[in-house]
Amino acid sequence: MSVTPTAMRPPVAADAPRTVAKRSSRSDWRRLWQAAPFVLPNLLGFLVFTAGPVLFSFAIAFTNWDLQRSVPFRWSGWENFSVLMADKDFWLYFANTVYFLLGMPVAIAGSLALALLLSQKLKGVVIYRTLFYLPSFTSGVALMILWKALYNPDFGPVNAVINSVSDFLHLGVKAPQWLLSTANLVGLDVEKVAFTGKQFGLGARDAIIIMGVWTAIGGSNMLLYLAALTNVPQELTEAAELDGATNWQVFRNVTWPQLAPTTFFIVVMSFIGGLQGGFEQARVMTNGGPAGTTTTLSYYIYNKAFEEFQIGYASAVSWVLFSIIFAVTVLNWKFGNKETTY
Amino acid sequence: MKAVFTGAFVILLLLSAMAWSILPKPVEAGKTQIIWASDDNPARRGQIDGFNKIATDAHVSLDPNNTGLQKVVVQSLAGVGPDVFDSGDGTLNVLIDADLAWDVTDELKKRGVDIEKDSWKAIQTYCVREGRVYGIPSNAAANALFINKTIFDQQGIPYPNGPWKWSEFLPIAQKMTIRDDKGRATQFGLLIDWWLWPQFVIQWGGRIYSEDGTKCVIDSPEAIAGIQFLHDLIYKYKVMPSPVEEAAMATQGGWGSGTITQFGEGQKAAMAMGGRWWLCTLRNKKQFPDLKMTVCEAPYFNRRVFYGYGRATFINKASPRREDALKFLLYMAGPNYNALINKQADALAPIIKYCYKPEVLFDPEFPEEDKNQVWLDAMRYAEPTPTSPFVNYQAAQRILTRQLDLVKNDQKLVPDALRDAAREVNAEIQKTIARNPSLKAKYDAILAKRPVATL
């Protein structure tokens, strides 16, 4: 296979535009045929295993498709969506999903702080970077089981530390029951989307958020920030330092604006990941409990589709979730992207 | 670089050779392979071997990775399901409605097997609906109390004997519960898996669903009293661990973990409510070298009834090998399989007549198990898992679990939780029948037949 670079092609006479167009079109086709075997496996995989199912799920969201054949199949129009609007569980689990996003700013700030530390010229910095990245290439399920043990209310190390500190300082603080408790930091009610003082505290949702923040701080966000930090022009930093700027002023006025595109990307991806997430944690650590407080929309979709077999309804929930993610991404793009231009 | 790639290639080659060497051996020529999706209980392999030894033209292989209703239903509908599969609580309706379970009524009748007559009543709801048989019960369980003899001996209290009532049980359990200076329990009187809550509903005379299944009645005074007592065992009488204390005792993972190992590992609890199938784990002397145990009948309130449960095995209707799979089901109804279940203590054999044998009452290999009559009595008084054909079992379970979680965590009063549970399950029933016209017709027909006063 040989492809003639454009620069090496013979000059084209100005009076022969049609011939050139024909020849170029023929050569385009030839090049396409040559490239097709390389692209096709991936493209076919995408069409069959991604695009096809996505479109199929969109279609079945407008049906009552149930894996139990005693329910006759029919097109149900917008019925699934209107049922969903009145579905108490959907809103409860949506609230849980949104609640889990509370950890996002902390995780992003933590990743940035860690990246700033790891971008220093330290001895053995590569080892530190690897250590902090460890949670990202360790099995998620193993980590969740480990955290489940850490959160053990009586014998877990987390509460052991809390109790020791509380005893030492005579604070009289009662350690949280973590994965067994329905309490949460904003007092979200268990049975309806409302706030109540009774639920104020630390519970299963917060336990999962803390674990998520721990995992995310040393994860791909940190790597992205590390890469972005190496791209901050050294001359800008040096100029600011020569002008007498403090470290904070250099960070605030030079480094941070330069990191804006990366931050924007991380925020968008974190929103998408956060809204889609929660399934593994619920499945491994809590079974969605206690009392459904760690059930997120993704776990609800699984339950509806594969435990209650309402595939049509589950697809409708999936598409509503997609719409929410899409809307949030558009909003992010509209308002967050402004910072990225200079 | 060349050396690195060559090295990597050689390593991959070695790994491949290793993988090939541990591949399951192909089935003997002339034998049809039957895939059985079931859990990896250590007893299961013995049950399979029993069949494979006598079968001349079929070979059963276990597939423990594809168990669970979700996987069976989805894979079967996609045409790649197992030939034979197990299913548990409340799933029969789904299997029939999804057209997955082969109706074997006539096949079994032709071969002289009458499941309705021969098997324990309490587990027939797992495989029989409206007189049609869709599978064979693979074992049968009802709970009794495991007694830690060492703890009883230390306290100088004689081992209890049933039948007995909860009121007789309580003082003993309270004596057996020991707490340290900080109020932390070092030993509990009783361990119960929370999922056994239906036993308390039925013993107090309550029901989860009305007899015809059209309504959830878990908010009846009887059901409330039963669940209240279960709650009180934790929070009022303090003989059972709270969720926090339970988590502190928790062990991690594997078949037969949880309450069984908590009971088996030393001095954590004097008594534990469990089925005979616990013995599959507790017989392991390496794991529990110091455990000395016996059993007695579980206490009751005003009805001497126990929650019956088990598993049933079904043939995939779409399996091209279903005639061969039927041989495996017939083996499960026969003497060899039933004797093996009793011998292995994988609960009790599903066919009653094979349970009343001298070797079941006393097996010289396990002389400590000298009270096996208790299991037979418990099974005789067992009642089936309450279900309704008008609601998806999993959907109802999700609602009930949510409310009962709040009760277990002492975050909601029992009457409030059960009232909300009943209301939500009844709303789910209405949603289900609205989706399914044939179910609605059945539901309406039942209501029409019912006397006006009960509507």
Side-chain angles (χ1 to χ4, degrees), chain B residues 411-441:
Chain B
Q411 287 184 309
K412 198 167 179 179
L413 296 174
V414 176
D416 292 346
L418 296 192
R419 252 193 303 274
D420 286 347
R423 185 176 42 78
E424 287 183 39
V425 172
N426 285 327
E428 192 63 35
I429 288 176
Q430 292 308 316
K431 269 197 244 170
T432 309
I433 59 170
R435 267 200 311 271
N436 190 335
S438 63
L439 210 55
K440 179 155 176 33

Side-chain angles (χ1 to χ4, degrees), chain A residues 73 84 97 227:
Chain A
F73 179 88
L84 187 150
T97 310

Side-chain angles (χ1 to χ4, degrees), chain A residues 67-72 88-89 93 145 152-155 177 180 182 191 290-291 302 306-310, chain B residues 70 73-74 77 94 97-98 243-244 247-248 392 394-395 398 402-403 405-406 409 411-412 424 435-437:
Chain A
L67 290 184
Q68 296 186 73
R69 293 175 191 175
S70 58
V71 180
K88 190 188 89 174
D89 286 348
Y93 303 145
I145 290 172
N152 190 307
D154 261 6
F155 298 112
Q177 296 185 15
L180 303 170
T182 55
E191 296 183 80
Y302 168 81
F306 300 114
E307 294 214 326
E308 297 175 31
F309 306 113
Q310 294 176 35
Chain B
Q70 305 95 312
V73 170
V74 175
L77 291 175
V94 172
D97 292 346
V244 177
N392 177 290
Q394 305 287 356
R398 193 162 42 80
R402 181 157 65 198
Q403 294 298 338
D405 268 2
L406 293 171
N409 286 330
Q411 287 184 309
K412 198 167 179 179
E424 287 183 39
R435 267 200 311 271
N436 190 335

Side-chain angles (χ1 to χ4, degrees), chain B residues 297-430:
Chain B
E297 189 176 300
Y300 67 96
F301 184 63
N302 58 5
R303 291 184 70 223
R304 190 183 170 194
V305 287
F306 308 102
Y307 172 42
Y309 59 94
R311 284 180 303 117
T313 304
F314 301 86
I315 296 175
N316 190 339
K317 195 175 176 184
S319 165
R321 294 166 289 276
R322 64 184 201 183
E323 294 297 333
D324 291 294
L326 186 64
K327 291 172 193 158
F328 183 58
L329 242 60
L330 291 169
Y331 156 75
M332 295 179 103
N336 293 345
Y337 174 84
N338 282 270
L340 190 62
I341 292 286
N342 286 328
K343 175 85 185 167
Q344 292 175 322
D346 183 15
L348 277 174
I351 306 297
I352 300 170
K353 67 179 174 190
Y354 299 119
C355 293
Y356 288 92
K357 300 267 183 188
E359 63 271 23
V360 178
L361 290 174
F362 184 76
D363 184 345
E365 207 181 316
F366 304 101
E368 201 181 45
E369 296 167 21
D370 55 351
K371 291 200 172 172
N372 283 332
Q373 182 65 44
V374 165
W375 302 113
L376 297 173
D377 289 345
M379 207 56 232
R380 206 150 51 94
Y381 288 100
E383 285 193 355
T385 308
T387 56
S388 160
F390 300 110
V391 66
N392 177 290
Y393 178 76
Q394 305 287 356
Q397 277 304 108
R398 193 162 42 80
I399 293 166
L400 293 168
T401 305
R402 181 157 65 198
Q403 294 298 338
L404 284 156
D405 268 2
L406 293 171
V407 170
K408 188 183 178 186
N409 286 330
D410 203 25
Q411 287 184 309
K412 198 167 179 179
L413 296 174
V414 176
D416 292 346
L418 296 192
R419 252 193 303 274
D420 286 347
R423 185 176 42 78
E424 287 183 39
V425 172
N426 285 327
E428 192 63 35
I429 288 176
Q430 292 308 316

Side-chain angles (χ1 to χ4, degrees), chain B residues 175-400:
Chain B
K175 267 186 208 162
M176 294 293 182
T177 306
I178 300 168
R179 292 180 185 270
D180 64 15
D181 300 343
K182 287 183 177 173
R184 287 208 298 210
T186 53
Q187 179 183 294
F188 284 101
L190 176 67
L191 295 179
I192 299 182
D193 279 318
W194 189 256
W195 60 268
L196 293 173
W197 60 263
Q199 178 149 316
F200 291 81
V201 174
I202 58 173
Q203 284 194 344
W204 263 253
R207 300 181 62 94
I208 297 175
Y209 297 100
S210 57
E211 209 161 334
D212 54 19
T214 54
K215 201 177 168 198
C216 175
V217 291
I218 201 171
D219 54 347
S220 69
E222 294 84 4
I224 290 172
I227 298 294
Q228 184 66 56
F229 182 78
L230 177 60
H231 169 272
D232 289 350
L233 285 174
I234 302 175
Y235 295 103
K236 186 175 169 187
Y237 306 117
K238 296 180 188 290
V239 297
M240 246 172 77
S242 67
V244 177
E245 291 164 327
E246 208 173 72
M249 297 164 74
T251 49
Q252 217 31 270
W255 194 90
S257 60
T259 315
I260 308 176
T261 32
Q262 284 162 20
F263 173 75
E265 282 170 354
Q267 311 284 92
K268 288 178 181 170
M271 293 173 274
M273 195 183 285
R276 188 167 181 256
W277 53 277
W278 279 29
L279 292 172
C280 293
T281 306
L282 293 178
R283 278 176 178 175
N284 185 344
K285 288 288 167 202
K286 275 186 192 161
Q287 194 180 353
F288 310 110
D290 304 321
L291 179 65
K292 289 190 176 72
M293 62 179 173
T294 183
V295 286
C296 85
E297 189 176 300
Y300 67 96
F301 184 63
N302 58 5
R303 291 184 70 223
R304 190 183 170 194
V305 287
F306 308 102
Y307 172 42
Y309 59 94
R311 284 180 303 117
T313 304
F314 301 86
I315 296 175
N316 190 339
K317 195 175 176 184
S319 165
R321 294 166 289 276
R322 64 184 201 183
E323 294 297 333
D324 291 294
L326 186 64
K327 291 172 193 158
F328 183 58
L329 242 60
L330 291 169
Y331 156 75
M332 295 179 103
N336 293 345
Y337 174 84
N338 282 270
L340 190 62
I341 292 286
N342 286 328
K343 175 85 185 167
Q344 292 175 322
D346 183 15
L348 277 174
I351 306 297
I352 300 170
K353 67 179 174 190
Y354 299 119
C355 293
Y356 288 92
K357 300 267 183 188
E359 63 271 23
V360 178
L361 290 174
F362 184 76
D363 184 345
E365 207 181 316
F366 304 101
E368 201 181 45
E369 296 167 21
D370 55 351
K371 291 200 172 172
N372 283 332
Q373 182 65 44
V374 165
W375 302 113
L376 297 173
D377 289 345
M379 207 56 232
R380 206 150 51 94
Y381 288 100
E383 285 193 355
T385 308
T387 56
S388 160
F390 300 110
V391 66
N392 177 290
Y393 178 76
Q394 305 287 356
Q397 277 304 108
R398 193 162 42 80
I399 293 166
L400 293 168

